């Protein structure tokens, strides 16, 4: 999060005021402030050249009583792995946000809503370095 980054950068400025910061030092400081193991993150984004590419390939929707069951098929086309924010726009225009961990090559996520879905978008804030954003959204044409 933003606070972890800000606190980490403050520490780096103090500790390394007149020195170079190594990738390893940066990682250690970020890990200490986030309380997370960031080895895979640094490996994927700093040491390797993996590409990030997610896609929505299918929306399947059915009415179950007074609710709508929605099945989204998502694919990880690139080798990089990140959690993915998903924006689901309902018929009324209201939005619901979901998160997919993005680890599987393909996943079918199932949700229930009180009205039908008309549009789904991966990474609605455009914060991910996805190499092909053309496959990040899909209109539902049924119902």
């Amino acid at each position: 999060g933003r606070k972890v980054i800000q606190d980490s950068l403050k520490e780096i400025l103090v500790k390394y005021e007149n020195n170079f910061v190594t990738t390893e030092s940066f990682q250690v400081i970020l890990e200490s402030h986030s309380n997370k193991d960031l080895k895979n993150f640094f490996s994927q984004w700093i040491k390797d050249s993996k590409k990030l590419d997610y896609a929505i390939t299918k929306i399947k929707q059915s009415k179950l009583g007074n609710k709508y069951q929605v099945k989204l098929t998502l694919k990880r086309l690139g080798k990089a792995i990140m959690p993915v924010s998903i924006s689901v726009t309902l018929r009324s225009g209201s939005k619901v946000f979901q998160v997919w961990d993005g680890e599987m090559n393909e996943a079918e996520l199932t949700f229930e809503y009180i009205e039908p879905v008309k549009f789904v978008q991966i990474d609605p804030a455009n914060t991910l370095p996805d190499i092909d954003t053309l496959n990040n959204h899909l209109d539902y044409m049924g119902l």
Side-chain angles (χ1 to χ4, degrees):
R2 189 176 301 251
K3 179 154 177 35
V4 168
I5 296 292
Q6 287 175 339
D7 291 346
S8 298
L9 291 176
K10 284 178 187 175
E11 182 176 338
I12 287 168
L13 288 172
V14 171
K15 269 189 176 178
Y16 297 95
E17 182 179 3
N18 296 314
N19 296 310
F20 290 105
V21 180
T22 65
T23 304
E24 290 76 21
S25 301
F26 185 51
Q27 180 178 340
V28 167
I29 290 170
L30 280 174
E31 286 177 339
S32 72
H33 284 277
S34 67
N35 293 320
K36 293 183 179 181
D37 179 0
L38 300 173
K39 182 177 82 175
N40 288 338
F41 176 84
F42 273 81
S43 174
Q44 166 172 286
W45 293 110
I46 307 297
K47 298 175 182 168
D48 292 337
S49 60
K50 295 179 180 177
K51 305 286 189 245
L52 185 79
D53 188 16
Y54 288 104
I56 301 171
T57 58
K58 187 174 12 173
I59 302 172
K60 191 173 157 186
Q61 193 162 207
S62 58
K63 189 163 170 91
L64 295 175
N66 60 350
K67 293 192 177 185
Y68 293 86
Q69 184 181 69
V70 180
K71 292 184 181 188
L72 304 176
T73 303
L74 307 168
K75 287 189 179 182
R76 179 172 55 84
L77 303 172
K79 300 248 186 236
I81 298 172
M82 290 285 294
V84 178
S85 174
I86 302 163
S87 170
V88 178
T89 304
L90 304 176
R91 183 189 311 169
S92 66
S94 62
K95 293 186 180 192
V96 180
F97 295 92
Q98 307 288 347
V99 176
W100 173 43
D101 64 17
E103 292 180 9
M104 303 276 295
N105 287 331
E106 182 173 277
E108 184 177 85
L109 306 180
T110 303
F111 305 105
E112 286 189 3
Y113 303 110
I114 58 172
E115 56 184 291
V117 168
K118 70 176 190 178
F119 184 75
V120 178
Q121 182 176 4
I122 291 174
D123 187 31
N126 294 313
T127 57
L128 297 177
D130 193 306
I131 62 169
D132 179 10
T133 58
L134 295 177
N135 57 15
N136 287 10
H137 50 85
L138 197 58
D139 286 302
Y140 182 73
M141 301 301 187
L143 294 180

